[in-house]
């Protein structure tokens, strides 16, 4: 039987369990480990809307009296499609609960207080950084009331997304495109403007290495006033009239979209940047020079270098001949 000598080690296991859950969807990825004297007596994770939450899943068929529950996200304190997890832990006789991240949802939060009021020892802040990284899109979406926004750019070394004649396929390598398709499978929605939809006719689908559609397809969002049909098959299509990024995000928030991938083109990319509604930028850069052609981002209204949009580099990856730069806008922290 597996044993863990520290709360941190047990939380790492709870994180592994949470990562079994697909990243996309309205609910957070949560894992839970039940321990008695460091020995694992139960494990669980939340498999999706309407299914047992991680804590209840871990408690199934287990005598948890006096046990410790190690959970990635604060147990919920409200009744939705399922009952409150904090109450389930109390009723099961759990003596101690270790939590990585507090729940920012004003409807579901408060589980730690409920546990303490029932005499359960509550320890917080264990393994917080790693769990926050996993939950970031959900935490930001719930905390800010709008989806987490990742802006994707695929450019030449001199920042072009198309040559002077308009040709744009393919700037980046198969390795970069495979990485981008894997990312598409992890988000709830893909967003483009009508210009990109009309000129490039993107499918906006998540495909595997053989080009086959993945089992789950993101929502496809077109922002703008012109008719711009998207190829089929693919995910459902949402059309948002006008050119306001905030309006688009409000529409998506109402559909419980937590993470949207903005795939451009330059007009839409600039609109989201000007509005301050980009949380993360993924820039796929190919070692190609064109010297002319369309820039990745249209005019941001910036006249001097000191006013430039400054991002914080988080990581740099090599993808075949290309480089992927992952950068943050602002401080990169979610709001509680």
């Amino acid at each position: 039987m597996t044993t863990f000598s520290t709360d941190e080690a047990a939380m790492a296991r709870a994180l592994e369990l949470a990562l079994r859950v697909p990243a996309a969807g309205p609910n957070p990825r949560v894992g839970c480990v039940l321990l008695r004297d460091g020995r694992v007596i139960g494990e669980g994770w939340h498999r999706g809307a309407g299914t047992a939450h991680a804590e209840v899943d871990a408690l199934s068929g287990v005598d948890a009296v006096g046990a410790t529950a190690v959970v990635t996200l604060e147990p919920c304190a409200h009744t939705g499609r399922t009952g409150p997890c904090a109450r389930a832990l109390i009723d099961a006789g759990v003596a101690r609960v270790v939590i990585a991240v507090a729940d920012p949802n004003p409807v579901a939060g408060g589980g730690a207080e409920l546990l303490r009021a029932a005499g359960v020892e509550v320890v917080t802040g264990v393994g917080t950084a790693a769990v926050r990284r996993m939950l970031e899109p959900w935490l930001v979406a719930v905390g800010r009331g709008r989806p987490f926004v990742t802006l994707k750019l695929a450019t030449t070394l001199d920042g072009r997304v198309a040559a002077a004649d308009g040709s744009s396929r393919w700037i980046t390598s198969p390795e970069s495109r495979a990485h981008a398709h894997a990312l598409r499978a992890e988000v709830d929605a893909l967003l483009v403007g009508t210009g990109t939809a009309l000129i490039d006719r993107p499918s906006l689908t998540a495909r595997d290495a053989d080009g086959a559609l993945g089992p789950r397809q993101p929502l496809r969002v077109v922002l703008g006033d012109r008719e711009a049909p998207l190829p089929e098959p693919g995910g459902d299509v949402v059309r948002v009239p006008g050119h306001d990024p905030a309006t688009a995000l409000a529409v998506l928030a109402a559909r419980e979209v937590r993470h949207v991938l903005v795939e451009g083109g330059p007009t839409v990319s600039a609109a989201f940047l000007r509005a301050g509604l980009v949380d993360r930028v993924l820039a796929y850069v190919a070692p190609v020079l064109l010297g002319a052609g369309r820039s990745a981002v249209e005019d941001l209204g910036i006249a001097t270098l000191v006013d430039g949009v400054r991002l914080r580099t988080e990581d740099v990856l090599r993808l075949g001949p290309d480089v992927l730069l992952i950068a943050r806008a602002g401080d990169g922290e979610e709001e509680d």
Side-chain angles (χ1 to χ4, degrees), residues 294-334:
R294 200 170 186 193
S295 297
V297 179
E298 287 191 347
D299 184 14
L300 294 176
I302 296 169
T304 182
L305 184 61
V306 72
D307 294 330
V309 177
R310 296 285 179 176
L311 307 176
R312 175 172 56 85
T313 300
E314 181 179 81
D315 204 355
V316 179
L317 305 177
R318 177 80 176 265
L319 297 172
D322 303 336
V323 171
L324 169 61
L325 174 69
I326 303 173
R328 297 282 170 172
D331 59 12
E333 293 293 330
E334 65 282 346

Side-chain angles (χ1 to χ4, degrees), residues 111-126:
E113 293 180 12
L114 185 62
L115 290 164
R116 290 190 179 101
V120 177
E121 179 187 356
V122 177
V123 178
T124 60
V126 175

Side-chain angles (χ1 to χ4, degrees), residues 69-97:
V70 179
V71 60
T72 52
L73 183 68
E74 178 185 9
C76 64
H78 84 301
T79 300
R81 292 174 179 167
T82 60
C85 295
R87 176 54 58 186
L89 292 169
I90 293 166
D91 292 344
V94 168
R96 183 170 176 266
V97 177

Side-chain angles (χ1 to χ4, degrees), residues 114-169:
L114 185 62
L115 290 164
R116 290 190 179 101
V120 177
E121 179 187 356
V122 177
V123 178
T124 60
V126 175
T128 300
V131 173
R132 278 188 184 276
R133 282 194 295 272
M134 174 191 69
L135 287 176
E136 183 182 29
W138 183 85
L139 289 169
V140 168
V142 171
R144 297 179 182 171
R146 56 93 171 157
F148 182 89
V149 176
T150 294
L151 173 62
K152 175 199 161 192
L153 304 173
T155 75
T156 63
L157 199 59
D158 50 350
R160 309 294 179 177
V161 294
D165 66 355
S167 59
S168 61
R169 293 190 177 184

Side-chain angles (χ1 to χ4, degrees), residues 213-288:
L213 287 174
R216 185 206 152 274
Q217 292 299 312
L219 199 66
R220 300 184 292 172
V221 186
V222 180
L223 177 63
D225 294 321
R226 291 178 291 174
E227 279 295 318
L230 296 177
E232 295 294 344
D236 292 343
V237 177
V238 174
R239 303 189 183 281
V240 182
H243 303 90
D244 181 24
T247 298
L249 294 185
V251 169
L252 295 178
R255 298 180 67 113
E256 293 190 303
V257 167
R258 306 303 192 199
H259 190 178
V260 58
L261 178 63
V262 175
E263 295 208 1
T267 302
V268 167
S269 298
F272 272 84
L273 287 166
R274 283 196 303 267
L277 291 173
V278 173
D279 299 297
R280 182 176 64 175
V281 175
L282 269 65
Y284 298 84
V285 182
V288 177

